[in-house]
Every structure is written in structure tokens, then in C-alpha cells.
Amino acid sequence: MKLITAIIKPQKLDEVRDALGKVGVQGMTVSDVKGYGRQKGHAEVYRGTEYQVNFLPKLKLEIAVAAGIADQVVEAVVKAAGSGSIGDGKVFVVDLEKAVRIRTGEVDESAL
């Protein structure tokens, strides 16, 4: 099993969710997060005063999948979330040692 973590622009969520549904992903966790990378934030103007926004709003997606479809899931996220401009985000893939469905006690891939 793999745990795929993706950091994406908030406006790309619907496209990513649709793409993940097409490759068989049945669920994910979405969190509002803030951060920066090479983008380094941007300047905004509020009531005539310019100020620097160092942390940009992003969404963090966490998707647990069977190892066999992990590459398809990563490809779907990259394709759907990508715009070709700076700040599109990142995808991280790590091994998932164990998963347990609390309601039924199912473990590993059957719990996904």
C-alpha cells in the first residue's frame, strides 16, 4: 500500500477529484494548509497599504491506495492539478505499513 500526499492549488480540487475517480480512488482526505516553495509568496494591497503574503493557501490531499495503482494515481493528480505555472504543487509517495477500518476491523487493502 502507498500513501500519496499532494499539495495543490485550491481551485484545482474538483478537477483532481474527478481524475482520481476515473482511476478508481474511492476516498481521500482534504485539508486546508498554507505554505510556500519557489513561489515565495506575493504582495497584496489592503486599504491602500501593500503587504507581503509569505504563506499561500493550498490544499493537502492524502490518498491511501493499493501499491498497484499508485503510479496511475500520481499521474492523474499531476495531470489534473498542473497548469504549467509556478505554484502548482508537489506529490509525495510513501509506503503505508498498515491500514485498519475502525468500523469493521478490516486490515490493509481491504480497509481502503
Side-chain angles (χ1 to χ4, degrees), residues 1-111:
M1 295 178 301
K2 301 288 184 179
L3 179 62
I4 299 169
T5 302
I7 309 298
I8 65 169
K9 292 180 177 180
Q11 62 268 26
K12 292 290 189 171
L13 179 60
D14 289 335
E15 293 173 54
V16 171
R17 185 178 55 208
D18 292 343
L20 290 173
K22 291 177 183 173
V23 295
V25 172
Q26 296 180 2
M28 68 176 151
T29 300
V30 180
S31 305
D32 286 313
V33 296
K34 291 185 180 192
Y36 72 93
R38 292 182 180 164
Q39 204 172 358
K40 301 285 191 232
H42 65 277
E44 288 190 5
V45 177
Y46 179 73
R47 294 189 177 184
T49 304
E50 185 175 302
Y51 63 99
Q52 192 66 24
V53 177
N54 293 320
F55 293 99
L56 301 172
K58 302 287 183 179
L59 292 178
K60 179 179 177 182
L61 312 180
E62 294 173 299
I63 310 151
V65 297
I69 67 164
D71 289 338
Q72 292 174 296
V73 171
V74 170
E75 184 178 326
V77 170
V78 169
K79 192 172 187 179
S83 68
S85 62
I86 194 166
D88 279 347
K90 296 246 187 329
V91 178
F92 306 100
V93 181
V94 295
D95 288 326
L96 183 59
E97 188 174 319
K98 187 172 188 171
V100 179
R101 184 183 309 266
I102 294 172
R103 179 177 54 86
T104 62
E106 293 170 288
V107 295
D108 298 333
E109 288 190 21
S110 61

